[in-house]
C-alpha cells in the first residue's frame, strides 16, 4: 500500500512519484510546463530559511518553488 502526501509535506531528502496536480488555473499550467506531470519522480532537496522557497529535483534538474505551489502536487511514497 502506498502512502499519499503533498510535495510540500515531504521531509528533506524524501521522494515520490507525482499522482496528481491540483490548484487554481494560474498555478497548474506553470507546474506542468516545468515538467512536473503524472508519474514523474520528484525529491525534496532543501528548504530555505523560514520554509520558503523549497528546492526539488525533477527530471535531472533542480527547481525552486513556493510551498503553496508544492501543496498542489500530490505524491505517492
Amino acid at each position: 500500500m502506498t502512502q499519499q502526501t503533498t510535495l510540500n509535506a515531504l521531509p528533506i531528502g524524501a521522494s515520490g512519484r507525482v499522482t496528481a496536480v491540483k490548484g487554481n488555473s494560474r498555478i497548474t499550467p506553470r507546474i506542468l510546463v516545468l515538467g512536473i506531470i503524472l508519474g514523474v519522480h520528484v525529491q525534496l532537496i532543501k528548504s530555505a530559511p523560514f520554509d520558503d522557497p523549497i528546492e526539488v529535483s525533477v527530471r535531472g534538474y533542480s527547481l525552486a518553488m513556493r510551498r503553496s505551489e508544492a501543496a498542489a502536487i500530490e505524491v505517492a511514497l
Side-chain angles (χ1 to χ4, degrees):
M1 182 174 190
T2 60
Q3 191 177 13
Q4 290 282 125
T5 189
T6 55
L7 183 55
N8 69 323
L10 286 178
I12 293 174
S15 62
R17 296 233 176 252
V18 176
T19 58
V21 178
K22 299 181 178 181
N24 66 37
S25 60
R26 183 184 66 83
I27 293 173
T28 304
R30 178 177 180 267
I31 290 171
L32 297 173
V33 166
L34 293 171
I36 301 175
I37 59 174
L38 297 182
V40 85
H41 181 264
V42 292
Q43 180 180 19
L44 182 59
I45 302 297
K46 64 182 174 181
S47 178
F50 306 109
D51 286 338
D52 229 2
I54 61 172
E55 182 180 337
V56 297
S57 173
V58 60
R59 296 179 177 252
Y61 67 93
S62 294
L63 171 67
M65 64 186 343
R66 295 182 185 119
R67 282 200 178 264
S68 61
E69 294 169 336
I73 303 166
E74 294 184 4
V75 295
L77 306 178

